[in-house]
Amino acid sequence: INKMTIRTFHFNPIQVNTLVLADEETGEAVIVDPGNCNLYEDSQLQEYINEHNLLVKYILNTHPHIDHIAGNDWCVKEYRVPLYFHAAGMPIYEKAFAYAAAFGIEQAAFPLPTAFLKEGDVIRFGNHQLEVLYTPGHCDGSVSFLNRADNFVICGDLIFEGGVGRSDLPTGNEALLLQMIREKIMVLDDETVIYPGHGPQTTVGYEKLNNPYIQ
């Protein structure tokens, strides 16, 4: 069995979960939601990747909110790899500079994506793959990354342990958010691990039983 390592970092003032997924056999890796926003956080990420001899293949964003994209520029320059996110997030992404200032995140640049993700796309690295699910509701351009072989889904700010993402921000939509959770996430196996954008990981089965928003 080809094993995958998933390492979570908690970056920036909003404590986003930045994930590094790596194929243990080939060392190929992807960085999801790089939230690193200062030299100390950059070096934490860099040290981990160097220490494990990882070869970063892609930078992926679940959605274009500042806490999930603050490290895009550093990662793209450091690893010279493609950046992917969903086209519907572009209007929010284009305002990232203003949001960064509001949150005290000092990022000077936000690189344009190499290509846009869409529902059904498959991202391959090493012996693993992530399937793209379009899951708006928290904001336009929100996607989740599903790995069926290893039974996990990375869902940004769609659902959290015992909670759901905010829908009161620009382009948020509570009815759509709950619909996406029901139609795209709750249909997965109960054992499927959910990696949210903030807070601890959980499972589909746990949320079915315990999440008051989806009863």
Side-chain angles (χ1 to χ4, degrees), residues 71-185:
N72 277 0
D73 190 54
W74 184 87
C75 287
V76 165
K77 285 175 176 160
E78 179 71 16
Y79 299 110
R80 298 191 176 98
V81 293
L83 166 68
Y84 294 144
F85 58 77
H86 195 283
M90 248 343 257
I92 297 171
Y93 191 79
E94 286 168 346
K95 299 187 185 82
F97 196 74
Y99 288 118
F103 283 103
I105 293 172
E106 296 173 20
Q107 287 300 17
F110 295 92
L112 292 175
T114 314
F116 290 118
L117 299 171
K118 61 184 188 303
E119 174 90 18
D121 281 353
V122 176
I123 295 143
R124 295 180 174 84
F125 60 104
N127 302 295
H128 296 276
Q129 61 182 43
L130 299 172
E131 185 182 324
V132 177
L133 309 177
Y134 186 45
T135 51
H138 174 62
C139 70
D140 286 351
S142 295
V143 298
S144 298
F145 299 108
L146 173 62
N147 181 306
R148 294 184 190 273
D150 292 284
N151 234 16
F152 70 83
V153 62
I154 298 166
C155 61
D157 292 356
L158 183 66
I159 183 170
F160 303 113
E161 183 190 42
V164 297
R166 291 175 62 172
S167 53
D168 59 337
L169 298 165
T171 75
N173 180 321
E174 186 182 17
L176 182 59
L177 179 94
L178 297 173
Q179 180 191 343
M180 289 297 112
I181 292 170
R182 282 194 299 270
E183 293 180 3
K184 304 274 179 86
I185 306 300

Side-chain angles (χ1 to χ4, degrees), residues 11-14 16 18 32-38 41-42 45 59-61 63-76 83 93 96-97 99-101 103-111:
F11 284 150
N12 70 48
I14 310 170
V16 78
T18 293
V32 182
D33 290 349
N36 45 304
C37 72
N38 56 48
E41 291 178 346
D42 296 345
L45 192 55
I59 311 300
L60 308 173
N61 296 154
H63 64 289
H65 284 157
I66 184 61
D67 47 326
H68 296 257
I69 63 170
N72 277 0
D73 190 54
W74 184 87
C75 287
V76 165
L83 166 68
Y93 191 79
F97 196 74
Y99 288 118
F103 283 103
I105 293 172
E106 296 173 20
Q107 287 300 17
F110 295 92

